[in-house]
Amino acid sequence: YHISIEDTEIPMHDSLSNSEKLFSSVIFGNGPSDMSFIDGLQALGFTYKHVDSTQIAEIKEIFKTRPIPKEEEMIAYACEPIYRDILIFKQNNKPVGFAKICFECEDYYIHGSSVNTEPFAQLMDYYSLAGCLDKTKLY
């Protein structure tokens, strides 16, 4: 799923509606805490794109378990992430996890994994992932 939204279009007032609260929890931070929001992503303005089956092996390689990097090799994030891209991981056609990605500041949040996800993207996997998702630009 992807949403094209500018920072200035994000609702940031004190009295958010339930829909705006859900939207904020999806694009900011580590929410929602479960996968029930997935069915409502299109209603929130996200567009669905099926990942081509020829890209699955490369995406699995990007998200595979890796050794935890040394502290000096870890990426420090420079902005507040806005998760405009969400990958849904399925097993037997049922969602089992998701990854929220901010290509702008190269930050991520992964939910549903039983392994340590800290090593993800420490090796600059964002460009490979963008290619798999057929993104023409990184913010």
Side-chain angles (χ1 to χ4, degrees), residues 29-120:
N30 297 344
S33 60
D34 62 28
M35 291 177 273
S36 62
F37 75 99
I38 294 169
D39 290 336
L41 283 173
Q42 288 178 310
L44 293 174
F46 285 81
T47 55
Y48 173 80
K49 181 181 179 202
H50 182 77
V51 175
D52 189 274
S53 61
T54 62
Q55 301 297 326
I56 299 297
E58 188 172 352
I59 290 174
K60 283 183 178 181
E61 184 68 20
I62 293 168
F63 284 94
K64 74 179 183 180
T65 303
R66 301 181 190 164
I68 296 174
K70 298 175 189 162
E71 189 171 331
E72 63 270 12
E73 295 172 345
M74 294 185 69
I75 295 171
Y77 304 109
C79 72
E80 175 78 24
I82 300 173
Y83 299 113
R84 293 178 178 95
D85 294 275
I86 302 173
L87 282 86
I88 308 300
F89 302 110
K90 293 183 175 185
Q91 189 171 42
N92 300 323
N93 288 326
K94 294 186 180 189
V96 294
F98 61 86
K100 299 189 323 180
I101 308 291
C102 178
F103 284 100
E104 185 173 340
C105 65
E106 297 183 347
D107 199 353
Y108 65 93
Y109 172 72
I110 298 174
H111 176 80
S113 176
S114 60
V115 298
N116 184 352
T117 60
E118 188 176 339
F120 170 74

